[in-house]
Amino acid sequence: MVLSTNAPVVMSANGLYKRFGGQVILNNAAFEMRRSEVVLLRGANGAGKTTLLNILTGNLEPDAGTLSLFTAAKEEHFQFPRSWARKLNFLDHFTPERIARRGVSRSWQDIRLFPTHTLRDNVALAIQNQTGESPFAVFYRRRRIREEEAQIAKEADALLVRFGLGGRETSSADMVSLGQSKRVAIARSVLAGAKIMFLDEPLSALDSKGINEVMALLASVVAEHGVTLVIVEHVFNIPRVLDQATTVWTITNGQIKVETPEQVRRQGLPTESDGVRPWLRHLAGTNGRVVERELPGGALLSYAQLPNGSGRAALNVKDLVVRRGRRPVIGRPIGDGREVEGLSFALPDCSIGVLQAPNGWGKTTFLEALSGVIPVDRGTISINGKPIQDLATWDRIANGLGIMQSRDNVFPNLLVDEAIKLAGVAEVPDHIRPFLGRRVAALSGGERQNVAAACALFARTNAVNLLDEPFGMLDAKAIARLQGEILARNGGATLMLLPAASN
Amino acid sequence: MNYLLHLLILLDVYIVVAMSLNVIVGYVGLLTLAHAAYFAIGGYSYALVTLLLGWSFVPAVIAAVLVGVAFSFALSLASWRLKGDFFVLFSLAVQIAIYTVLWNWRKSGVEPGTWENLTNGIDGLNAIAKPLLFGHQFVGLGEIAILFTVIMALVGVISWTMLNSPWGRLLKAVRDDELAARSLGKDVRLIKMQAIGIAAALAGFAGALFASYMAFINPMSFDLNQSIVLLSMIIVGGVGNAFIGPFFGALLLLAIPEALRFVDLPIMVAGEVRLMVYGLLLVVLMRWRPQGIAGSYRME
Ligand SMILES: Nc1ncnc2c1ncn2[C@@H]1O[C@H](COP(=O)(O)OP(=O)(O)OP(=O)(O)O)[C@@H](O)[C@H]1O
Ligand SMILES: [Mg+2]
């Protein structure tokens, strides 16, 4: 895409400076952002992408610099550090709500819809300055509120229909799939009147269908509303974002480097959309092979057998049925729907495998059933021939099961040292050393994922390792390193769970 | 019959208090242990302005409501910064501070209600004015019961209307995810202040009703246990639901001790048995119906 250079500037910053303790994150960063621009924001783990987003959305004050907003009729200029007079004047604070009211919206990696509201209300809430938002207005401006509510509901529904969510208007937000919630979040920003949308890893954990849908929506939002987008993404999703991007910002050494998508393409991009299967092919080498098996529900199991395998099954899942409420999530109803066919597969000793499944297949449920957090309805799970489905979680771990969840996989309030010790890692891996003495909560998303992986892999050698989206949030270097670690620490079988990819 | 009317009057009062507490717990999402104190503030304000200044019922009730709102800032300012256990502890401090003041602001030999002996401590305030509306003094149990039931129903309708308006929708959104609400440009501090202010106003209102009916109050009706019983009411009834939850909660928790009266227990153990029944009720509920009888929001 090309951007006309005379589009009006909507936001600009100069001399942004931010440090945490002794660590300088942003050092004299500057940029200018124009109407309808689509910016891909990239950078290594810990480069400062999230920090920059936090600053530009009013969630964090930089130590120095200026920030100007031209999105509303009245321009806003912020000078940092804020003067004392400004700090005392509580009408002049630098806060998320103030920035949001100027047409700047933000989405989170974990989406954050309002879970007890319907999709319609989630979207309706975004509208600014509703008459009914004052507590007593319902008593003296009934008519007006009723009309306004009808209007808002109409707008919200129309938007939901346009976003492919027609018929789901009254579903509760905690009952819809990941891809759907991501679309609701975008709808919410649109109705909030966003002129600039910051999106922190909007494609993560989506299968390829979901990625297509979200990217198409974003494109239409830019085309129709002239919105400016700033999208943070990592390695394998970068090509998808580049297709739409007009500009690429790369954060290195605290500065923002501005390039065109063509320049970035010339530097070379990953051609695979998941990065795992080429790795498996590589592992299988010349004499080995990658075994692929389709599982019910559109999932694909592929694994590479490494040399020296005995051929025994390290992980054997037989006729597994797991329910959430009444509905079978793992296992498919067959015939008239009363019979359920369980999930069965085996992963041989000395193998590395990946289970790719579309969103809504039940990856999380599967992981929780294997780890013993939720009970299984039927079937057996064995590790090296020993059934574990009736054991408590800790006994499963003792029997050689290792698990790494995709999020909430580290204790945020511990020091990194404590987390590592708690996991029982004897020697701290080199790449974790720089984080010692810091709190897990103060690490970037990717840094945290590195710590979680170290806790999961370095403590001991497990017979079976289950890793849920181990490469999420990681940059290219960290992915390569983690692949090496997985290989080196593979005691029997490793199974990675990933969203379904298109290739 | 008189006894049943007495119970009905108390039930009306407690339903109003429970509804007000439900706004803080179920809609702002904060657990408070200070609610008995706000109930007390209403009762004492009503008693003092009627006794000392000779105000009549309606202005005195309005005064109780306003004093409740004034004190609500203690909680709402805290709610800007504190969450979870820290807020609970803060509310505990508010409860204890107010209770201690009620208990200790006394001097024997001095007329109650004066600057030196404001609350008369444990001996409490006496001869508080009965309800008076449109020139009619409500003295009989029957007429007070009718009046209070009408008032309770009115308050129910009003709070239901507010909590189901766009304001209530916004309030729930703030409860569920404050940062997401702020990022949509919503003023979460203002809305917390409004909600807690309304809750305190309602608690003060209920306190005034209570004082006007009883004609006598002392700090014993407003201690920490009372706060806990109020909380139990709305947890048993279910929070995050404007009317039905508080209604059933208040009904059940008032009914239990009364039902126990008919079991011939020795005085010494009756109190303990009551607490045991409350405890049992909560445990049973936690196991089989964690959201309460009619709740729509589950506290973590
Ligand atoms: N609250 C904090 N206190 C101290 N250090 C912090 C804090 N937040 C972030 N950091 C540090 O600042 C650096 C930048 O973090 P940031 O989250 O912006 O990185 P990022 O570019 O988003 O990385 P990722 O790709 O891993 O998400 C990291 O080294 C991180 O450890
Ligand atoms: Mg980040």
Side-chain angles (χ1 to χ4, degrees), chain A residues 19 52 66 178 210 220:
Chain A
R19 56 192 279 175
L52 182 66
T66 60
L178 183 77
S220 76

Side-chain angles (χ1 to χ4, degrees), chain B residues 144-191:
Chain B
I144 294 183
I146 294 173
L147 176 69
F148 279 21
T149 306
V150 170
I151 290 179
M152 181 274 287
L154 263 177
V155 172
V157 170
I158 290 175
S159 75
W160 189 91
T161 311
M162 279 200 300
L163 291 171
N164 285 289
S165 76
W167 179 75
R169 173 173 72 196
L170 177 56
L171 192 56
K172 281 198 260 180
V174 170
R175 169 194 77 191
D176 289 344
D177 195 330
E178 193 175 326
L179 189 58
R182 290 181 75 183
S183 297
L184 290 176
K186 308 295 178 184
D187 190 341
V188 303
R189 294 185 163 187
L190 177 68
I191 194 166

Side-chain angles (χ1 to χ4, degrees), chain B residues 58-75:
Chain B
V58 175
V61 169
I62 293 174
V65 166
L66 292 181
V67 177
V69 173
F71 274 85
S72 79
F73 293 113
L75 284 192

